[in-house]
Amino acid sequence: LAFPVIMILFAVGDMVAVGSSVKIALLLGQGKNKEANGLFSAAFCMILGIGVLFSLVGFFVAPKLITLSIKDTTLANVAWDYARIFLYFMPAIMPLFAVDNYLRICGKANFSMWMNISVAVLNIILDWFFLAYLRLDIRFAALATSETVPGAACRAHEETGGLLLVERAARLVIYSFLLQIDVTGYYIHNISTV
């Protein structure tokens, strides 16, 4: 029940990426690499800002919305457990939705396709491992999805030569979840090179 709303939030970041990737591609085609880099940095910072904003607002709004839309308290608690994990990871997940657009304008469409396939397969494997094999709860299904997506964004960073380094942020959030420690800082590295 929470997943469709989460996907709508991710789509907002993707809209920024789609719009900026068109302009970036035009600038690159005109040989204006410096302006393309600047636009890329601004768009990526905006996507991260949207992710942080949605994450912070989500922690206050989501519990109330879930309670309003789901009358069964047990199901509402499960939905909140699931959504909460995505809220932790939202600033790290949104870049993957953006990276997909930027990879295509860098001429790496095949890599983008294989990255998306590998994310889906790894997510299936981790879901099975956490839910069927270890018999863990719904939070770990969300964790499986949340961990595979930033990992793919890190791989895309390596492939393109410098989109965004979210690996440290993802690890920090994962460890904070596992240790039940609150984390508010994220590490961003060299987002202006394409």
Side-chain angles (χ1 to χ4, degrees):
L1 295 172
F3 194 70
V5 175
I6 292 165
M7 295 312 316
I8 290 169
L9 296 178
F10 290 146
V12 173
D14 198 31
M15 287 189 305
V16 173
V18 167
S20 65
S21 66
V22 170
K23 184 66 175 168
I24 291 168
L26 288 171
L27 290 170
L28 289 173
Q30 295 169 355
K32 299 177 179 176
N33 292 348
K34 187 172 181 169
E35 285 128 11
N37 286 343
L39 180 57
F40 172 77
S41 294
F44 233 79
C45 287
M46 185 177 197
I47 291 165
L48 285 174
I50 290 168
V52 170
L53 178 69
F54 283 171
S55 185
L56 293 174
V57 170
F59 279 106
F60 297 106
V61 175
K64 293 175 180 117
L65 287 177
I66 289 172
T67 307
L68 284 173
S69 61
I70 304 172
K71 297 302 175 196
D72 181 11
T73 342
T74 306
L75 186 57
N77 288 336
V78 170
W80 170 238
D81 284 345
Y82 187 80
R84 185 169 40 105
I85 304 306
F86 278 102
L87 289 173
Y88 278 124
F89 280 90
M90 191 163 295
I93 292 174
M94 275 192 163
L96 178 69
F97 287 88
V99 161
D100 195 42
N101 295 290
Y102 299 127
L103 284 171
R104 282 187 240 126
I105 64 171
C106 292
K108 307 247 184 219
N110 282 337
F111 176 76
S112 175
M113 176 190 69
W114 287 109
M115 181 180 69
N116 286 320
I117 290 171
S118 66
V119 164
V121 170
L122 184 57
N123 188 18
I124 291 167
I125 292 168
L126 286 176
D127 277 342
W128 171 84
F129 180 72
F130 288 150
L131 301 178
Y133 185 73
L134 296 178
R135 304 271 187 223
L136 298 171
D137 62 25
I138 192 74
R139 292 177 301 161
F140 288 89
L143 184 64
T145 302
S146 297
E147 187 183 44
T148 56
V149 174
C154 292
R155 180 66 186 106
H157 162 74
E158 295 167 9
E159 184 69 20
T160 58
L163 286 179
L164 174 69
L165 184 60
V166 294
E167 181 180 12
R168 290 184 185 177
R171 285 183 182 162
L172 193 58
V173 173
I174 291 167
Y175 297 144
S176 71
F177 168 73
L178 295 175
L179 300 173
Q180 295 298 311
I181 300 170
D182 240 355
V183 176
T184 56
Y186 295 95
Y187 179 76
I188 301 172
H189 175 72
N190 193 13
I191 62 174
S192 64
T193 54
V194 174

